[in-house]
Amino acid sequence: MHLACIGRVAASGLFALLLAGSLSGGSAHAQLDSREAISLQDQILELRHEMRQMQSGGGEGSAPPMAPSSTSVDQGAGSPLTSQLLDRVSTLEAQVRDLRGQLDQLNNQVQQQNAALSKQIGDMSFAVQQAHPEGGVPGGNAGDAGPPPPPARPERRTPELALQQGNAALAHRDYAGAQAAAREVLAGPKGPRQTDAQFLLAQSLAGQRQYQQAATAYYDVYTHAPHSGRAPDALLGVSASLLALGDKTDACQALQKLRAEFPSPQPRVSRASLALRGRGGCR
């Protein structure tokens, strides 16, 4: 066979190869976008270019077209370039078949996964319908289900109950609970329990070693009710908090105020005042 004839056969084989490489639908187009398919397509284009050169007589070692003869047939059949081209065409055809097989396998996997997912969705929908027929609750009718009940409103403690529970928390050294109860009463309406709540707040702050806030809270008790039974204890609390902060001068002034305004305190207050004077070095 003449070299030009072999070129036409190889070109026809390339055309069939390109037609097979186009595959079908969007899946084949996506496959050609891969690196392997792009490289394969470049090789096919290169082969087509070489074939055209051979047909036009411009390839290396080729002869101008002439009438076929025994000599030209032997030369064309034994040409190393022709053998290489035929080998490359065969290799490319095998690669296309492999790629097509991989694509078919991927498509089958996707179809199987879609079928399994659809079945799961159908089973779940059936189970929901069986559990809630007609949108109602299980075992009942849709019309039997009424609106959900409103959330229960938390019962507000009375000031007396809050103080009772706050003092109990203070006795158990639950200073955070005592502070919460005191602030609850202070946030409510003004009443006779406000002074007791303020004193409980000061005690809870002192128990948490927040001495600066405790001193302020104790002094608020004294300023709001200077003649109440809580006033002497409030001044003691001011002095003790200031001593904890290292402020002996102001602590002694609070004790001096206690002595001036309450010259005859209860024995308990007197003993506490004497102990604080000793700690502060008061005169």
Side-chain angles (χ1 to χ4, degrees):
M1 181 183 293
H2 191 270
L3 183 60
C5 295
I6 295 176
R8 285 193 296 271
V9 172
S12 300
L14 286 176
F15 178 77
L17 179 62
L18 289 173
L19 183 60
S22 63
L23 302 180
S24 60
S27 300
H29 183 271
Q31 183 66 29
L32 286 177
D33 288 339
S34 66
R35 293 185 178 180
E36 295 180 356
I38 292 174
S39 177
L40 182 60
Q41 190 174 15
D42 291 340
Q43 296 179 35
I44 293 173
L45 292 177
E46 183 180 355
L47 282 175
R48 178 186 291 179
H49 180 69
E50 293 178 1
M51 285 300 203
R52 287 177 179 174
Q53 287 182 345
M54 292 176 60
Q55 290 175 357
S56 62
E60 181 179 358
S62 62
M66 59 181 64
S69 64
S70 60
T71 304
S72 64
V73 170
D74 294 339
Q75 291 178 353
S79 174
L81 180 59
T82 303
S83 299
Q84 293 178 3
L85 291 175
L86 292 177
D87 291 340
R88 291 177 65 180
V89 168
S90 299
T91 302
L92 293 175
E93 288 178 343
Q95 292 179 359
V96 169
R97 287 194 296 269
D98 292 341
L99 292 175
R100 189 169 186 177
Q102 294 177 7
L103 179 61
D104 293 340
Q105 184 178 2
L106 291 175
N107 287 334
N108 292 334
Q109 292 179 359
V110 171
Q111 292 177 0
Q112 292 176 1
Q113 292 176 356
N114 290 338
L117 180 60
S118 300
K119 184 177 182 304
Q120 291 178 0
I121 294 176
D123 294 341
M124 292 176 61
S125 300
F126 179 77
V128 170
Q129 291 177 359
Q130 293 296 321
H132 303 280
E134 299 181 1
V137 297
N141 297 324
D144 296 339
R153 297 175 57 184
E155 296 183 1
R156 187 178 182 85
R157 294 182 292 184
T158 62
E160 292 77 11
L161 180 59
L163 288 174
Q164 179 182 356
Q165 295 178 351
N167 284 306
L170 182 68
H172 289 86
R173 297 185 180 181
D174 180 10
Y175 301 117
Q179 180 179 352
R183 293 192 182 279
E184 179 182 335
V185 177
L186 292 173
K190 299 297 181 181
R193 296 296 186 179
Q194 294 286 311
T195 301
D196 295 334
Q198 185 68 29
F199 188 77
L200 177 61
L201 175 63
Q203 289 177 300
S204 65
L205 292 171
Q208 298 175 75
R209 298 185 179 181
Q210 300 178 17
Y211 297 116
Q212 186 66 47
Q213 295 88 336
T216 302
Y218 276 126
Y219 192 72
D220 287 342
V221 174
Y222 169 75
T223 56
H224 292 155
H227 304 292
S228 66
R230 292 291 189 185
D233 292 322
L235 291 175
L236 288 174
V238 170
S239 178
S241 299
L242 293 174
L243 285 175
L245 293 171
D247 188 358
K248 294 183 179 181
T249 301
D250 291 338
C252 290
Q253 289 181 358
L255 293 175
Q256 184 63 29
K257 191 174 187 66
L258 174 61
R259 175 184 290 180
E261 297 190 8
F262 301 94
S264 300
Q266 296 180 1
R268 174 183 56 82
V269 174
S270 180
R271 289 192 299 269
S273 177
L274 184 61
L276 291 174
R277 283 181 177 277
R279 287 172 52 190
C282 303
R283 297 181 180 178

